[in-house]
C-alpha cells in the first residue's frame, strides 16, 4: 500500500468551468501584431501626442508666441549652442505664420494628430489598411528627404529622420510580406 499513487481529492472540472474559461478567453482579444509593428504604433501615438501638445501650446500662447519663441531660442542657444539651429529657425518661421492664422493651424494639427492616432490604432489591431497607410505614408517622403539632404547643407537631424523613415518602411513591409499582404 505504500506504493499506491496519490489521488487528487479535488472534483474533476465541470463543463461550466470549461465554459467560463472559454468566455474569459473571448473577452480578452489579443492583437496578432508583431512587437516591431507595435513599436511603430507606439511611435505613431507619440507623434500624435506631440502634435496635440503643440496645438495646446499654440492655443495657449498664440498672442505671445513670438516673445515666447525668442525666449526659448535664447535659452536653448545658451545651453546647447547652435545645436539644431536650422530646425529652430524653421520652427520659428512656422510658428510666426501659425500665430497669424492660428485657428487654421489648430485645425491642421488636429487633422495630423487624428491621422497618427488612426494609424497607431490600425497597426496595433493588425489591420491591413494600416500597413498600407504606413508604407505609403512613410515611403512617399523618402525621396523628398533624400533630395533635401543632397540639395541643402548636410544636417544630422535630417539624416536621422531619413534613416528612421527607411527603417519603419522596411519593418512594415517585412510584416506585410510575412502576413501575405504583398
Amino acid at each position: 500500500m505504500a506504493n499506491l499513487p496519490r489521488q487528487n481529492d479535488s472534483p474533476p472540472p465541470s463543463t461550466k468551468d470549461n465554459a467560463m474559461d472559454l468566455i474569459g478567453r473571448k473577452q480578452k482579444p489579443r492583437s496578432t501584431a508583431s512587437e516591431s509593428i507595435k513599436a511603430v504604433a507606439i511611435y505613431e501615438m507619440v507623434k500624435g501626442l506631440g502634435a496635440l501638445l503643440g496645438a495646446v501650446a499654440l492655443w495657449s500662447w498664440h498672442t505671445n508666441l513670438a516673445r515666447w519663441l525668442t525666449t526659448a531660442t535664447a535659452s536653448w542657444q545658451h545651453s546647447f549652442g547652435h545645436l539644431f539651429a536650422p530646425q529652430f529657425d524653421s520652427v520659428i518661421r512656422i510658428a510666426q505664420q501659425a500665430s497669424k492664422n492660428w485657428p487654421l493651424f489648430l485645425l491642421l494639427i488636429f487633422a495630423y494628430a487624428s491621422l497618427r492616432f488612426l494609424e497607431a490604432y490600425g497597426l496595433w489591431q493588425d489591420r491591413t489598411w494600416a500597413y498600407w497607410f504606413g508604407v505609403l505614408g512613410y515611403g512617399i517622403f523618402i525621396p523628398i528627404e533624400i533630395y533635401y539632404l543632397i540639395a541643402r547643407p548636410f544636417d544630422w537631424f535630417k539624416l536621422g529622420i531619413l534613416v528612421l523613415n527607411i527603417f519603419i518602411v522596411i519593418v512594415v513591409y517585412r510584416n506585410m510580406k510575412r502576413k501575405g499582404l504583398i
Side-chain angles (χ1 to χ4, degrees):
M1 286 218 192
N3 291 336
L4 289 177
R6 296 182 80 182
Q7 290 194 5
N8 187 357
D9 291 335
S10 63
S14 69
T15 55
K16 182 180 175 185
D17 292 337
N18 289 339
M20 291 305 285
D21 270 353
L22 290 174
I23 290 171
R25 277 188 234 139
K26 285 184 181 179
Q27 288 176 351
K28 297 178 186 176
R30 236 187 116 133
S31 173
T32 58
S34 71
E35 296 302 315
S36 58
I37 291 298
K38 287 182 180 179
V40 173
I42 290 169
Y43 176 64
E44 290 300 318
M45 184 66 73
V46 168
K47 285 173 45 178
L49 289 173
L52 289 181
L53 287 175
V56 168
L58 176 61
W59 182 70
S60 300
W61 300 319
H62 68 275
T63 54
N64 297 325
L65 194 58
R67 186 172 53 95
W68 183 84
L69 284 172
T70 304
T71 305
T73 302
S75 175
W76 178 271
Q77 287 177 348
H78 177 70
S79 300
F80 301 104
H82 290 288
L83 181 66
F84 298 119
Q87 287 77 23
F88 264 100
D89 291 341
S90 295
V91 168
I92 289 171
R93 280 194 310 275
I94 292 169
Q96 287 169 343
Q97 286 289 56
S99 68
K100 293 176 187 172
N101 201 359
W102 65 273
L104 176 64
F105 272 84
L106 282 179
L107 183 64
L108 291 173
I109 291 170
F110 283 126
Y112 174 80
S114 298
L115 285 175
R116 297 300 107 207
F117 292 140
L118 183 67
E119 183 178 359
Y121 170 80
L123 288 173
W124 193 271
Q125 295 298 321
D126 206 30
R127 303 285 195 244
T128 302
W129 58 264
Y131 284 93
W132 284 105
F133 188 77
V135 165
L136 295 175
Y138 281 99
I140 200 165
F141 288 107
I142 290 173
I144 297 167
E145 291 165 356
I146 291 172
Y147 169 76
Y148 280 117
L149 197 61
I150 294 170
R152 299 209 174 148
F154 181 76
D155 186 352
W156 284 102
F157 186 75
K158 289 178 188 173
L159 179 63
I161 296 295
L162 173 64
V163 169
L164 182 63
N165 284 348
I166 290 171
F167 178 72
I168 289 173
V169 168
I170 289 169
V171 166
V172 175
Y173 180 79
R174 285 181 58 212
N175 278 279
M176 289 175 74
K177 282 191 85 156
R178 181 182 54 81
K179 293 176 72 58
L181 299 175
I182 295 178

